[in-house]
Coordinates of all heavy atoms in Angstrom, one line a residue:
Chain A
T81 N 14.8 -6.5 31.1 CA 13.7 -5.7 31.1 C 14.0 -4.2 31.1 O 13.5 -3.5 30.3 CB 12.8 -6.2 32.2 OG1 12.4 -7.6 31.9 CG2 11.4 -5.4 31.9
F82 N 14.8 -3.9 32.1 CA 15.1 -2.6 32.3 C 15.8 -2.0 31.0 O 15.7 -0.8 30.6 CB 16.1 -2.2 33.4 CG 15.3 -2.4 34.8 CD1 16.0 -2.3 36.1 CD2 14.0 -2.7 34.9 CE1 15.5 -2.6 37.2 CE2 13.3 -2.8 36.1 CZ 14.0 -2.7 37.2
M83 N 16.7 -2.8 30.4 CA 17.4 -2.3 29.1 C 16.2 -2.1 28.1 O 16.4 -0.9 27.4 CB 18.4 -3.5 28.7 CG 19.5 -3.7 29.6 SD 20.8 -2.5 29.0 CE 21.2 -3.1 27.4
D84 N 15.6 -3.1 28.0 CA 14.5 -3.0 26.9 C 13.6 -1.7 27.1 O 13.3 -1.1 26.0 CB 13.5 -4.1 26.9 CG 14.2 -5.5 26.5 OD1 15.3 -5.3 26.0 OD2 13.7 -6.6 26.8
K85 N 13.3 -1.3 28.2 CA 12.4 -0.3 28.4 C 13.2 1.2 28.5 O 12.6 2.1 28.7 CB 11.7 -0.4 29.8 CG 10.7 -1.6 29.7 CD 9.5 -1.3 28.8 CE 8.6 -2.5 28.8 NZ 7.5 -2.3 27.9
G86 N 14.5 1.1 28.4 CA 15.3 2.3 28.4 C 15.5 2.8 29.7 O 15.6 4.1 30.0
I87 N 15.4 2.0 30.8 CA 15.6 2.5 32.2 C 17.1 2.5 32.5 O 17.6 3.5 33.1 CB 14.8 1.6 33.2 CG1 13.4 1.7 32.9 CG2 15.2 2.0 34.7 CD1 12.4 0.9 33.8
I88 N 17.8 1.5 32.1 CA 19.2 1.5 32.2 C 20.0 1.3 30.9 O 19.3 0.9 29.8 CB 19.8 0.3 33.1 CG1 19.3 -1.0 32.6 CG2 19.2 0.5 34.7 CD1 19.7 -2.3 33.4
H89 N 21.2 1.5 30.9 CA 22.0 1.3 29.7 C 23.3 0.6 30.1 O 23.7 0.7 31.2 CB 22.4 2.5 29.0 CG 23.1 3.5 29.7 ND1 22.6 4.4 30.6 CD2 24.5 3.8 29.8 CE1 23.6 5.1 31.2 NE2 24.7 4.8 30.7
T90 N 23.9 -0.1 29.1 CA 25.2 -0.8 29.4 C 26.3 0.3 29.1 O 26.3 1.1 28.2 CB 25.5 -2.0 28.5 OG1 25.2 -1.7 27.2 CG2 24.4 -3.0 28.9
I91 N 27.4 0.0 29.8 CA 28.6 0.8 29.5 C 29.7 -0.1 29.0 O 30.1 -1.3 29.6 CB 29.1 1.4 30.8 CG1 28.2 2.3 31.3 CG2 30.5 2.0 30.6 CD1 28.3 2.8 32.7
P92 N 30.2 0.2 27.8 CA 31.3 -0.8 27.2 C 32.6 -0.8 27.9 O 32.9 0.3 28.3 CB 31.5 -0.1 25.8 CG 30.8 1.2 25.8 CD 29.9 1.2 26.9
T93 N 33.0 -1.9 28.2 CA 34.4 -2.1 28.7 C 35.2 -3.0 28.0 O 34.7 -3.8 27.3 CB 34.2 -2.6 30.2 OG1 33.7 -3.9 30.2 CG2 33.5 -1.7 31.1
S94 N 36.6 -2.7 28.1 CA 37.5 -3.6 27.3 C 37.6 -4.9 27.8 O 38.0 -5.8 27.1 CB 38.8 -2.8 27.4 OG 38.8 -1.6 26.7
D95 N 37.4 -5.2 29.1 CA 37.5 -6.5 29.5 C 36.1 -7.1 29.4 O 35.3 -6.4 28.8 CB 38.0 -6.5 31.0 CG 37.0 -5.8 31.9 OD1 36.2 -5.0 31.4 OD2 37.1 -6.0 33.1
N96 N 36.1 -8.2 29.8 CA 34.7 -8.9 29.6 C 33.5 -8.3 30.2 O 32.4 -8.4 29.6 CB 34.9 -10.3 30.2 CG 34.4 -11.3 29.3 OD1 33.6 -11.1 28.4 ND2 34.8 -12.5 29.5
S97 N 33.7 -7.6 31.3 CA 32.6 -7.3 32.2 C 31.5 -6.2 31.6 O 31.9 -5.4 30.7 CB 33.2 -6.5 33.4 OG 33.6 -5.3 33.1
V98 N 30.4 -6.5 31.9 CA 29.2 -5.5 31.5 C 28.8 -4.8 32.6 O 28.6 -5.4 33.8 CB 28.0 -6.4 30.9 CG1 27.1 -5.4 30.1 CG2 28.6 -7.5 30.0
K99 N 28.7 -3.5 32.5 CA 28.2 -2.6 33.6 C 27.0 -2.0 33.2 O 26.8 -1.5 32.1 CB 29.2 -1.6 34.0 CG 30.5 -2.3 34.6 CD 30.8 -2.0 35.9 CE 32.1 -2.7 36.4 NZ 32.4 -2.1 37.8
Y100 N 26.1 -1.8 34.1 CA 24.8 -1.1 33.9 C 24.6 0.2 34.7 O 25.2 0.2 35.9 CB 23.7 -2.0 34.2 CG 23.7 -3.4 33.5 CD1 24.4 -4.4 34.0 CD2 22.9 -3.6 32.3 CE1 24.4 -5.6 33.4 CE2 22.9 -4.6 31.7 CZ 23.8 -5.8 32.3 OH 23.7 -7.0 31.5
A101 N 24.0 1.2 34.0 CA 23.8 2.4 34.8 C 22.5 2.9 34.4 O 22.0 2.6 33.3 CB 24.9 3.5 34.6
L102 N 22.0 3.7 35.3 CA 20.6 4.4 34.9 C 20.7 5.4 33.8 O 21.6 6.1 33.6 CB 20.1 5.3 36.1 CG 19.5 4.6 37.2 CD1 19.0 5.7 38.2 CD2 18.1 3.9 36.8
C103 N 19.7 5.3 32.9 CA 19.6 6.2 31.9 C 19.0 7.6 32.5 O 18.2 7.5 33.4 CB 18.7 5.8 30.9 SG 19.2 4.6 29.8
K104 N 19.7 8.7 32.0 CA 19.2 10.0 32.8 C 17.8 10.3 32.4 O 16.8 10.0 33.0 CB 20.2 11.1 32.6 CG 21.3 10.8 33.5 CD 21.0 10.6 35.0 CE 21.7 9.6 35.8 NZ 23.2 9.7 35.7
D105 N 17.5 11.1 31.3 CA 16.1 11.4 31.0 C 15.4 10.9 29.8 O 14.6 10.1 29.9 CB 15.9 12.9 31.1 CG 17.3 13.6 31.1 OD1 18.1 13.4 30.3 OD2 17.6 14.2 32.2
N106 N 16.2 11.2 28.7 CA 15.5 11.1 27.4 C 15.6 9.7 26.7 O 15.7 9.7 25.6 CB 15.9 12.1 26.6 CG 17.3 12.6 26.7 OD1 18.0 11.7 27.3 ND2 17.8 13.6 26.1
C107 N 15.8 8.7 27.5 CA 15.7 7.3 26.9 C 14.3 6.8 26.7 O 13.6 6.7 27.7 CB 16.7 6.4 27.5 SG 18.4 6.6 27.5
E108 N 14.1 6.3 25.5 CA 12.6 5.7 25.3 C 13.0 4.4 25.0 O 14.2 3.9 24.7 CB 12.1 6.4 24.1 CG 11.9 7.9 24.1 CD 10.9 8.4 25.3 OE1 9.9 7.7 25.3 OE2 11.2 9.3 26.0
E109 N 11.9 3.7 25.0 CA 12.1 2.2 24.5 C 12.7 2.1 23.2 O 12.2 2.8 22.2 CB 10.6 1.6 24.4 CG 10.7 0.1 24.3 CD 9.2 -0.5 25.0 OE1 8.5 0.3 25.4 OE2 9.1 -1.6 24.5
G110 N 13.8 1.4 23.0 CA 14.5 1.3 21.8 C 15.3 2.4 21.3 O 16.1 2.3 20.3
H111 N 15.3 3.4 22.1 CA 16.2 4.6 21.7 C 16.9 5.2 22.7 O 16.4 5.8 23.7 CB 15.2 5.9 21.1 CG 14.8 5.6 19.7 ND1 15.6 5.9 18.7 CD2 13.6 5.1 19.4 CE1 14.8 5.6 17.6 NE2 13.7 5.1 18.0
H112 N 18.2 4.9 22.8 CA 19.0 5.4 23.8 C 19.6 6.8 23.4 O 20.0 6.9 22.2 CB 20.1 4.4 24.2 CG 19.6 3.4 25.1 ND1 19.6 3.4 26.5 CD2 19.1 2.2 24.8 CE1 19.1 2.3 26.9 NE2 18.9 1.6 26.0
H113 N 19.5 7.7 24.3 CA 20.2 9.0 24.0 C 21.1 9.4 25.0 O 21.0 10.4 25.6 CB 19.0 10.1 23.9 CG 17.9 9.7 23.0 ND1 18.1 9.9 21.7 CD2 16.7 9.3 23.3 CE1 16.8 9.5 21.1 NE2 16.1 9.2 22.1
D114 N 22.1 8.5 25.3 CA 23.1 8.9 26.2 C 24.1 9.6 25.5 O 24.9 9.0 24.8 CB 23.6 7.5 26.9 CG 22.6 6.6 27.5 OD1 21.7 7.1 28.1 OD2 22.5 5.5 27.2
D115 N 24.3 10.9 25.9 CA 25.3 11.7 25.2 C 26.3 12.0 26.2 O 27.0 13.2 26.0 CB 24.5 12.9 24.6 CG 23.7 13.7 25.6 OD1 23.6 13.1 26.8 OD2 23.1 14.7 25.3
H116 N 26.5 11.2 27.2 CA 27.5 11.6 28.2 C 28.6 10.6 28.2 O 28.4 9.5 27.6 CB 27.1 11.6 29.6 CG 26.4 10.4 30.1 ND1 25.1 9.9 29.7 CD2 27.0 9.2 30.7 CE1 24.8 8.8 30.2 NE2 25.9 8.2 30.6
I117 N 29.7 10.9 28.7 CA 30.9 9.9 28.6 C 31.0 9.1 29.9 O 30.3 9.4 31.0 CB 32.2 10.7 28.4 CG1 32.7 11.4 29.7 CG2 32.1 11.7 27.3 CD1 34.0 11.7 29.7
H118 N 31.7 8.1 29.9 CA 31.9 7.2 30.9 C 33.3 7.2 31.5 O 34.2 7.3 30.7 CB 31.4 5.8 30.6 CG 30.0 5.8 30.3 ND1 29.5 5.6 29.1 CD2 28.9 5.8 31.0 CE1 28.1 5.5 29.0 NE2 27.8 5.8 30.3
F119 N 33.4 7.0 32.8 CA 34.8 7.1 33.4 C 35.0 5.7 34.2 O 34.2 5.5 35.0 CB 35.0 8.2 34.2 CG 36.4 8.5 34.7 CD1 37.2 9.2 33.8 CD2 36.8 7.9 35.8 CE1 38.5 9.5 34.2 CE2 38.2 8.2 36.2 CZ 39.1 8.8 35.2
I120 N 36.2 5.2 34.0 CA 36.5 4.0 34.7 C 37.8 4.2 35.5 O 38.7 4.6 34.9 CB 36.7 2.6 33.9 CG1 35.5 2.5 33.1 CG2 37.2 1.5 34.7 CD1 35.5 1.3 32.1
C121 N 37.7 4.2 36.8 CA 38.9 4.5 37.6 C 39.8 3.3 37.8 O 39.4 2.1 38.1 CB 38.5 4.9 39.0 SG 40.0 5.3 40.0
S122 N 41.1 3.3 37.4 CA 41.9 2.1 37.4 C 42.4 1.9 38.8 O 42.9 0.9 39.0 CB 43.0 2.3 36.4 OG 43.4 3.6 36.2
R123 N 42.3 2.9 39.7 CA 42.6 2.5 41.1 C 41.4 1.9 41.9 O 41.6 0.7 42.3 CB 43.0 3.9 41.8 CG 43.8 3.4 43.1 CD 44.6 4.6 43.5 NE 45.6 5.1 42.7 CZ 46.1 6.3 42.7 NH1 46.0 7.1 43.7 NH2 47.2 6.5 41.8
C124 N 40.4 2.5 42.0 CA 39.2 2.0 42.8 C 38.3 1.1 42.0 O 37.5 0.3 42.6 CB 38.4 3.1 43.4 SG 37.6 4.2 42.5
G125 N 38.4 1.3 40.7 CA 37.6 0.3 39.8 C 36.1 0.7 39.5 O 35.5 0.1 38.8
I126 N 35.7 1.8 40.1 CA 34.3 2.2 39.8 C 34.1 2.7 38.4 O 35.1 3.3 37.9 CB 33.9 3.2 40.9 CG1 34.4 4.5 40.7 CG2 33.8 2.7 42.3 CD1 33.6 5.7 40.3
T127 N 33.1 2.5 38.1 CA 32.7 3.0 36.6 C 31.5 3.9 36.8 O 30.6 3.6 37.5 CB 32.2 1.7 35.8 OG1 33.1 0.8 35.6 CG2 31.7 2.2 34.3
S128 N 31.7 5.2 36.3 CA 30.6 6.1 36.5 C 30.2 6.9 35.2 O 31.1 7.1 34.4 CB 30.9 7.1 37.7 OG 32.3 7.6 37.4
C129 N 29.1 7.6 35.2 CA 28.6 8.3 34.2 C 29.1 9.8 34.5 O 28.7 10.2 35.6 CB 27.1 8.2 33.9 SG 26.5 6.7 33.5
L130 N 29.7 10.4 33.6 CA 30.0 11.9 33.8 C 29.0 12.7 33.0 O 29.3 13.0 31.8 CB 31.4 12.3 33.3 CG 32.5 11.5 34.0 CD1 33.9 12.1 33.7 CD2 32.5 11.6 35.6
D131 N 27.8 12.9 33.7 CA 26.6 13.5 33.0 C 27.0 14.8 32.4 O 26.4 15.2 31.5 CB 25.5 13.5 33.9 CG 25.2 12.2 34.4 OD1 24.9 11.3 33.5 OD2 25.1 11.8 35.6
K132 N 27.9 15.5 33.0 CA 28.2 16.9 32.5 C 29.1 16.8 31.3 O 29.1 18.0 30.6 CB 28.8 17.6 33.7 CG 28.0 17.7 34.9 CD 26.9 18.6 34.8 CE 25.9 18.5 36.0 NZ 26.6 18.4 37.4
V133 N 29.9 15.8 31.1 CA 30.7 15.9 30.0 C 30.1 15.4 28.6 O 29.7 14.1 28.6 CB 32.0 15.1 30.3 CG1 33.0 15.2 29.1 CG2 32.6 15.6 31.6
Q134 N 29.9 16.2 27.7 CA 29.3 15.8 26.4 C 30.2 14.9 25.5 O 31.3 15.2 25.5 CB 28.9 17.0 25.6 CG 27.9 17.9 26.2 CD 26.6 17.4 26.2 OE1 26.1 17.0 25.1 NE2 25.8 17.2 27.2
V135 N 29.5 14.1 24.7 CA 30.4 13.3 23.8 C 30.6 14.2 22.7 O 29.7 14.9 22.2 CB 29.4 12.1 23.4 CG1 30.0 11.4 22.1 CG2 29.4 11.0 24.5
P136 N 31.8 14.3 22.2 CA 32.2 15.1 21.2 C 31.6 14.7 19.8 O 31.5 13.3 19.6 CB 33.7 15.2 21.1 CG 34.1 13.8 21.6 CD 33.0 13.5 22.7
H137 N 31.5 15.5 18.9 CA 31.2 15.1 17.5 C 32.4 14.6 16.8 O 33.4 15.4 16.9 CB 30.5 16.2 16.7 CG 30.2 15.7 15.3 ND1 29.3 14.9 14.9 CD2 30.9 16.1 14.1 CE1 29.2 14.7 13.6 NE2 30.3 15.4 13.1
I138 N 32.5 13.5 16.2 CA 33.6 13.0 15.5 C 33.4 13.0 14.0 O 32.3 12.3 13.6 CB 34.1 11.7 16.1 CG1 34.6 12.0 17.5 CG2 35.2 11.1 15.3 CD1 35.0 10.8 18.3
K139 N 34.2 13.4 13.3 CA 34.0 13.4 11.8 C 34.6 12.1 11.2 O 35.7 11.8 11.4 CB 34.7 14.7 11.2 CG 34.5 14.9 9.6 CD 34.9 16.2 9.2 CE 34.9 16.3 7.7 NZ 33.8 15.4 6.9
L140 N 33.6 11.4 10.6 CA 34.1 10.1 10.1 C 34.5 10.2 8.6 O 34.2 11.1 8.0 CB 33.0 9.1 10.2 CG 32.6 8.6 11.7 CD1 31.4 7.7 11.7 CD2 33.7 8.1 12.5
P141 N 35.2 9.1 8.1 CA 35.6 9.1 6.7 C 34.3 9.1 5.8 O 33.3 8.5 6.3 CB 36.4 7.8 6.6 CG 36.9 7.5 7.8 CD 36.0 7.9 9.0
R142 N 34.4 9.5 4.7 CA 33.4 9.4 3.7 C 32.6 8.0 3.7 O 33.3 7.0 3.6 CB 33.8 9.7 2.4 CG 32.9 9.6 1.1 CD 33.5 10.3 -0.1 NE 33.6 11.8 0.1 CZ 32.4 12.5 -0.2 NH1 31.2 12.0 -0.4 NH2 32.6 13.7 0.0
G143 N 31.3 8.0 3.8 CA 30.6 6.7 3.6 C 30.2 6.1 5.0 O 29.3 5.3 5.0
Y144 N 30.7 6.5 6.0 CA 30.3 6.0 7.4 C 29.3 6.8 8.0 O 29.4 8.2 7.9 CB 31.6 6.1 8.3 CG 32.5 5.0 8.0 CD1 33.7 5.1 7.2 CD2 32.4 3.7 8.7 CE1 34.5 4.2 6.9 CE2 33.4 2.7 8.4 CZ 34.5 2.9 7.5 OH 35.4 1.9 7.4
Q145 N 28.2 6.2 8.5 CA 27.1 6.9 9.1 C 27.2 6.6 10.6 O 27.1 5.4 11.0 CB 25.8 6.5 8.5 CG 25.7 7.0 7.1 CD 24.4 6.3 6.4 OE1 23.4 6.3 7.0 NE2 24.5 5.7 5.2
S146 N 27.3 7.6 11.4 CA 27.3 7.5 12.9 C 25.9 7.3 13.4 O 25.1 8.3 13.1 CB 28.1 8.5 13.4 OG 27.9 8.7 14.8
R147 N 25.7 6.5 14.2 CA 24.3 6.6 15.0 C 24.6 6.8 16.5 O 23.8 7.5 17.1 CB 23.6 5.0 14.8 CG 22.2 5.0 14.8 CD 21.6 3.7 14.4 NE 22.5 2.6 15.1 CZ 22.4 2.3 16.4 NH1 21.4 2.8 17.1 NH2 23.1 1.3 16.8
Q148 N 25.6 6.1 17.0 CA 25.8 6.4 18.4 C 27.3 6.4 18.7 O 28.0 5.6 18.1 CB 25.2 5.3 19.3 CG 25.6 5.4 20.7 CD 24.6 5.0 21.6 OE1 23.7 4.3 21.5 NE2 24.6 5.7 22.9
T149 N 27.7 7.5 19.5 CA 29.2 7.4 19.9 C 29.4 7.1 21.3 O 28.6 7.7 22.2 CB 29.8 8.8 19.6 OG1 29.5 9.1 18.2 CG2 31.2 8.9 19.9
E150 N 30.2 6.1 21.6 CA 30.5 5.8 23.1 C 31.8 6.2 23.4 O 32.8 6.0 22.7 CB 30.3 4.2 23.2 CG 29.1 3.7 23.0 CD 28.1 3.6 24.3 OE1 28.6 4.3 25.2 OE2 27.1 3.1 24.1
V151 N 31.9 6.9 24.5 CA 33.3 7.2 25.0 C 33.5 6.8 26.4 O 32.6 7.1 27.2 CB 33.5 9.0 24.9 CG1 34.9 9.2 25.6 CG2 33.4 9.4 23.6
V152 N 34.6 6.0 26.6 CA 35.0 5.6 27.9 C 36.4 5.9 28.1 O 37.3 5.7 27.4 CB 34.8 3.9 27.9 CG1 35.2 3.6 29.4 CG2 33.5 3.7 27.5

Side-chain angles (χ1 to χ4, degrees):
Chain A
T81 302
F82 286 180
M83 288 277 292
D84 293 346
K85 295 296 183 180
I87 298 175
I88 59 178
H89 61 279
T90 55
I91 297 169
T93 56
S94 295
D95 60 344
N96 224 340
S97 71
V98 194
K99 301 244 183 169
Y100 303 86
L102 277 185
C103 291
K104 284 305 141 51
D105 5 67
N106 41 11
C107 289
E108 308 287 318
E109 193 159 347
H111 284 278
H112 281 274
H113 306 280
D114 302 312
D115 53 355
H116 58 275
I117 71 156
H118 296 109
F119 192 88
I120 301 178
C121 180
S122 30
R123 191 163 301 165
C124 67
I126 68 120
T127 300
S128 49
C129 298
L130 298 187
D131 299 307
K132 302 289 168 44
V133 183
Q134 295 285 306
V135 167
H137 174 76
I138 293 174
K139 191 162 163 33
L140 295 177
R142 176 170 286 285
Y144 286 89
Q145 295 170 42
S146 162
R147 204 173 44 79
Q148 169 145 36
T149 302
E150 296 275 5
V151 177
V152 182

